[in-house]
Amino acid sequence: MSMRRIGIMGGTFNPIHNGHLAIAARAREQFALEKVLFMPSGVPYMKDQREVLPIQARCEMTALAVSYTPGFVLSEMEVEDAVQGKNTYTCDTLIKLRNTDPEAAYFFLVGADSLYAMEDWKSPDLIFQSCTVLAAARTENASTQPQGPCERLNKQAQYLREKYHAAIEILEFAGMDVSSTQIRERARAGKSLRGMVPEAVEMYIRRNHLYEKDS
């Protein structure tokens, strides 16, 4: 019997946006994932906490964003850490997942830039032992220079494979010009978020006055 293949899309989701959803959809298609767990980070220790909404709001936006797509599921595994004020570490979350469902094969989705930073994360060896890493690479940004982004990314992936015996795959992704920072700035300015977040998420942001200057 083949193992169930489960994707993990972790992130601050401050807020979740259409780029996150598009990457997850591409991962499901390219790697035949049964489902993708969208996991808002509890207390992301690498982020400025003043900029991060409470976990409840981020979970509620994530639930709205994934509710229309079969196979997309909100996971609140890191909520307890946030409630207790504990830092969130990817290695600990992966261990919890494997203890909960040891028969599954896990695929951890990251942006291409994260592949250069993962050695600085807590216990990178445990991360690489616990999952296959899918690094999303923008395929439309081919560089004319001798060593373009894709070549650099492939070299980094090979370096990590050799050092950690890591399972790393490149997730081919057409890219989407949207970021959570950009969305927050537009929300503060009262500008439309159409096409950047699901309509239900935009309505939630407006209804709760999120990211406004005085919020």
Side-chain angles (χ1 to χ4, degrees):
M1 180 186 299
S2 60
M3 300 181 75
R4 294 184 302 107
R5 300 161 69 87
I6 298 176
I8 306 164
M9 169 68 84
T12 311
F13 297 147
N14 188 41
I16 190 169
H17 56 65
N18 289 341
H20 297 129
L21 301 173
I23 290 174
R26 182 68 182 121
R28 275 199 84 193
E29 175 186 5
Q30 187 174 337
F31 293 94
L33 305 180
E34 175 184 310
K35 62 182 176 181
V36 178
L37 304 178
F38 284 77
M39 191 176 297
S41 56
V43 181
Y45 68 99
M46 292 184 179
K47 300 279 187 177
D48 184 346
Q49 300 305 308
R50 295 170 298 179
E51 290 287 324
V52 180
L53 288 178
I55 186 68
Q56 180 180 354
R58 292 185 284 118
C59 280
E60 289 177 356
M61 286 191 289
T62 302
L64 290 170
V66 305
S67 63
Y68 301 101
T69 306
F72 284 5
V73 181
L74 167 68
S75 170
E76 298 185 16
M77 180 166 284
E78 296 186 353
V79 170
E80 184 178 349
D81 287 342
V83 171
Q84 296 179 2
K86 296 179 180 178
N87 287 339
T88 297
Y89 299 103
T90 297
C91 61
D92 296 337
T93 298
L94 286 167
I95 291 171
K96 290 178 185 177
L97 282 169
R98 292 187 65 85
N99 288 339
T100 300
D101 190 356
E103 300 303 317
Y106 292 100
F107 295 76
F108 183 55
L109 283 67
V110 299
D113 289 347
S114 292
L115 212 56
Y116 301 98
M118 289 184 75
E119 281 194 291
D120 295 326
W121 295 7
K122 179 183 176 183
S123 303
D125 52 333
L126 289 178
I127 295 174
F128 292 125
Q129 290 170 19
S130 301
C131 66
T132 297
V133 174
L134 304 183
R138 292 194 173 201
T139 56
E140 87 286 11
N141 286 340
S143 173
T144 57
Q145 309 217 348
Q147 182 169 327
C150 288
E151 185 177 348
R152 285 187 63 239
L153 185 63
N154 285 325
K155 285 185 176 180
Q156 178 67 10
Q158 187 58 32
Y159 160 75
L160 294 173
R161 291 184 191 112
E162 293 175 357
K163 181 173 181 178
Y164 295 97
H165 304 287
I168 299 174
E169 300 288 346
I170 305 302
L171 174 63
E172 300 170 4
F173 176 58
M176 183 174 290
D177 189 19
V178 59
S179 72
S180 295
T181 299
Q182 180 184 16
I183 292 166
R184 293 195 298 271
E185 291 173 351
R186 290 184 66 87
R188 288 190 188 101
K191 295 182 179 179
S192 172
L193 306 180
R194 184 186 298 269
M196 304 176 75
V197 299
E199 183 178 357
V201 173
E202 179 171 12
M203 292 176 62
Y204 181 95
I205 290 171
R206 301 303 186 195
R207 185 169 62 250
N208 292 280
H209 307 287
L210 303 182
Y211 308 118
E212 295 180 2
K213 291 181 180 179
D214 295 328
S215 61

